[in-house]
Amino acid sequence: MIVIHHLNDSRSHRILWLCEELGVPYEVKRYQRDAKTRLAPPELKAIHPLGKSPVITDGDRVVHESGAIVDYLVRRHGGGRLQPAMATPLYDDYVQWLHYAEGSAALPLLLNLYASRLGEAKAPLMPRIESELANHLGYIDGALRGRRFLLGDEFSAADVQMSFIAEFAEAFGKRAAYSALDAWIKQLQDRPAYRRAIERGGEYIYAH
Ligand SMILES: N[C@@H](CCC(=O)N[C@@H](CS)C(=O)NCC(=O)O)C(=O)O
């Protein structure tokens, strides 16, 4: 049985959602962020030394890092669903999106979050953060223009992995300027599996 170690209001929502899309049975073990620091509780370190979520266990196997978890679940439990056939160029695009979400797109959003805690000291950082936000959000928006999903007409696990970027952007009011990105995430959030993941995992502040 797959166990998803799920931190409230976090990237692990998308792992619950992926399991719902795949129809893969899973258990949810819930962890609550500290109300003041918003950090994960120390119990998560008993699962993996980084103490981050998402992290899953599948028998003796522990898998951390959401892109790797998405790939693991799709490969091991997906039966060929939600990813393009490996020999196709579309598969290369798929892998690129899986890596890009956390490898590049998340960085300016995280920098923006941390800079927001610096008060006036953030001023010298903001032009670069703002321009990188526009760079990445603009890139994703452009890639979505004229298509329903990141890979075209077919929904894939790349949409699940990339969804957090659009949701995190909205937390700073940055999404409205990117209409294709905004339309894409809204239809993803309407998917029954997305909603079922919230029922299993609990309220999710980014679900709008
Ligand atoms: N790149 C990692 C990020 C993991 C991560 O930082 N998760 C956050 C939740 S969104 C977390 O666990 N934060 C709590 C903490 O750092 O204490 C992934 O995609 O899995």
Side-chain angles (χ1 to χ4, degrees):
M1 176 64 89
I2 294 160
V3 180
I4 304 177
H5 299 269
H6 173 59
L7 182 66
N8 64 307
D9 294 331
S10 82
R11 289 164 167 89
S12 54
H13 163 75
R14 59 189 165 183
I15 305 303
L16 273 66
W17 171 27
L18 179 62
C19 284
E20 290 289 341
E21 293 281 359
L22 290 171
V24 172
Y26 62 99
E27 272 173 29
V28 183
K29 189 152 190 306
R30 291 201 201 183
Y31 301 79
Q32 282 300 117
R33 288 178 184 272
D34 181 280
K36 205 164 164 195
T37 64
R38 303 289 292 156
L39 294 179
E43 295 83 69
L44 261 176
K45 290 207 169 175
I47 311 301
H48 185 276
L50 288 174
K52 305 279 179 198
S53 179
V55 59
I56 65 163
T57 46
D58 186 9
D60 293 339
R61 180 93 206 172
V62 180
V63 191
H64 76 104
E65 193 60 47
S66 39
I69 297 170
V70 167
D71 175 49
Y72 177 89
L73 289 172
V74 168
R75 256 186 313 109
R76 298 253 177 218
H77 298 278
R81 285 166 305 141
L82 299 190
Q83 73 172 26
M86 265 197 192
T88 63
L90 215 50
Y91 183 80
D92 301 327
D93 295 339
Y94 166 78
V95 171
Q96 219 164 260
W97 287 118
L98 285 194
H99 286 268
Y100 170 70
E102 294 293 330
S104 294
L107 180 63
L109 290 158
L110 285 166
L111 289 174
N112 194 50
L113 173 70
Y114 294 138
S116 71
R117 297 173 184 163
L118 294 176
E120 286 179 13
K122 74 177 183 181
L125 297 171
M126 287 319 291
R128 177 67 177 160
I129 293 174
E130 291 288 357
S131 79
E132 277 302 286
L133 279 173
N135 188 18
H136 286 280
L137 297 177
Y139 166 66
I140 304 163
D141 189 66
L144 283 164
R145 286 207 176 275
R147 27 178 79 197
R148 187 154 174 233
F149 300 110
L150 285 166
L151 299 182
D153 293 334
E154 291 287 320
F155 172 73
S156 76
D159 295 295
V160 176
Q161 171 67 357
M162 279 293 294
S163 64
F164 186 73
I165 300 304
E167 293 177 335
F168 201 9
E170 181 63 4
F172 307 118
K174 295 283 182 198
R175 204 171 68 211
Y178 303 97
S179 59
L181 180 67
D182 196 51
W184 167 75
I185 190 65
K186 282 180 174 151
Q187 49 134 354
L188 294 181
Q189 290 172 332
D190 277 345
R191 292 175 73 87
Y194 184 101
R195 294 281 141 202
R196 285 199 302 275
I198 292 176
E199 280 162 31
R200 289 286 305 271
E203 268 313 303
Y204 175 53
I205 48 164
Y206 298 112
H208 55 79

